[in-house]
């Protein structure tokens, strides 16, 4: 498309001196192509969106400055603020979510044996913490919206938070603070 626009600009420069109507037509064509191109990009990236859909910009963290769907951007920003407010930098954190990018919101120590794809919350966590006691979390962040995405066991879930203090129940996040050496 860009090559075609460049050729059209060269042709337009030559033709504008001969016909002012051509220049007006060219400007309308250029604007029309830009609008169609924008709509085409949004359709391919987001499926059903149009150029009139409201966007939200990520304010902080690894996605800062990136625009996305309004609801996704809102969720990203508000969750980032909650994590920043309730979990100090450098803390040891277990995030039970299919959105493992939350680990990058601040400088956290990851306390899960794997963050690849969708984490599994199971008995292996306790084995991992037995082998690596320096990875026992100080905080657990539970994403209620991930319940259909991550494999969990109700008994393990209960054991994880049985001694924990609930700090936040907001925006689909539960943030727990664990006492020293809870397991």
């Amino acid at each position: 498309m860009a090559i075609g626009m460049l050729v059209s600009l060269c042709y337009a420069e030559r033709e504008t001196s001969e016909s002012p109507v051509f220049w007006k037509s060219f400007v309308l064509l250029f604007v029309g192509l830009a609008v169609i191109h924008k709509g085409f990009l949004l359709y391919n990236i987001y499926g059903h969106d149009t150029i009139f859909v409201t966007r939200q910009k990520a304010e902080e963290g690894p996605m800062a400055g990136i625009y996305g769907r309004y609801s996704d951007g809102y969720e990203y920003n508000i969750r980032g603020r909650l994590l920043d407010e309730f979990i100090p930098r450098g803390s040891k954190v277990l995030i039970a979510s299919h959105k493992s990018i939350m680990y990058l919101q601040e400088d956290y120590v990851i306390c899960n044996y794997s963050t690849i794809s969708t984490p599994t919350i199971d008995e292996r966590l306790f084995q991992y913490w037995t082998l690596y006691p320096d990875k026992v979390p100080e905080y657990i962040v539970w994403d209620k919206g991930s319940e259909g995405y991550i494999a969990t066991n109700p008994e393990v879930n209960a054991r994880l938070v049985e001694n924990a203090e609930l700090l936040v129940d907001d925006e689909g996040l539960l943030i727990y603070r664990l006492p020293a050496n809870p397991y």
Side-chain angles (χ1 to χ4, degrees):
M1 185 183 257
I3 293 171
M5 296 292 251
L6 184 61
V7 170
S8 298
L9 280 172
C10 293
Y11 181 72
E13 181 183 355
R14 191 174 48 179
E15 294 293 324
T16 54
S17 60
E18 298 173 16
S19 171
V21 174
F22 179 81
W23 179 249
K24 291 177 185 175
S25 302
F26 180 76
V27 169
L28 288 174
L29 176 67
F30 183 80
V31 169
L33 283 174
V35 168
I36 290 170
H37 178 67
K38 177 75 171 170
F40 178 73
L41 275 178
L42 290 175
Y43 179 76
N44 280 336
I45 293 172
Y46 299 112
H48 64 279
D49 292 349
T50 68
I51 60 173
F52 304 108
V53 171
T54 304
R55 300 271 172 233
Q56 174 75 23
K57 183 169 117 177
E59 297 169 355
E60 297 175 8
M63 294 174 38
I66 296 175
Y67 285 87
R69 291 185 183 169
Y70 184 82
S71 59
D72 294 339
Y74 173 80
E75 176 185 315
Y76 177 83
N77 288 331
I78 197 75
R79 287 179 171 204
R81 283 189 210 112
L82 286 171
L83 292 175
D84 188 43
E85 181 180 343
F86 289 96
I87 303 176
R89 291 181 181 181
S91 296
K92 298 174 187 177
V93 179
L94 170 67
I95 297 179
S97 174
H98 69 290
K99 297 176 182 177
S100 55
I101 196 166
M102 285 196 291
Y103 279 118
L104 302 176
Q105 290 293 120
E106 290 294 339
D107 186 20
Y108 297 134
V109 175
I110 299 171
C111 295
N112 197 342
Y113 55 85
S114 175
T115 59
I116 295 174
S117 189
T118 302
T120 302
I121 306 301
D122 59 11
E123 298 82 18
R124 291 180 291 177
L125 278 173
F126 302 109
Q127 295 170 355
Y128 174 72
W129 295 330
T130 301
L131 293 172
Y132 302 98
D134 59 318
K135 294 292 186 171
V136 174
E138 299 167 318
Y139 296 88
I140 295 177
V141 178
W142 199 272
D143 182 359
K144 293 193 280 186
S146 292
E147 289 175 359
Y149 296 98
I150 59 175
T152 61
N153 178 328
E155 293 171 9
V156 172
N157 300 351
R159 185 174 168 202
L160 280 173
V161 298
E162 68 185 347
N163 299 318
E165 172 191 0
L166 180 64
L167 298 177
V168 176
D169 183 358
D170 194 12
E171 296 296 329
L173 283 185
L174 300 171
I175 299 178
Y176 296 95
R177 179 177 31 227
L178 296 170
N181 241 344
Y183 309 112

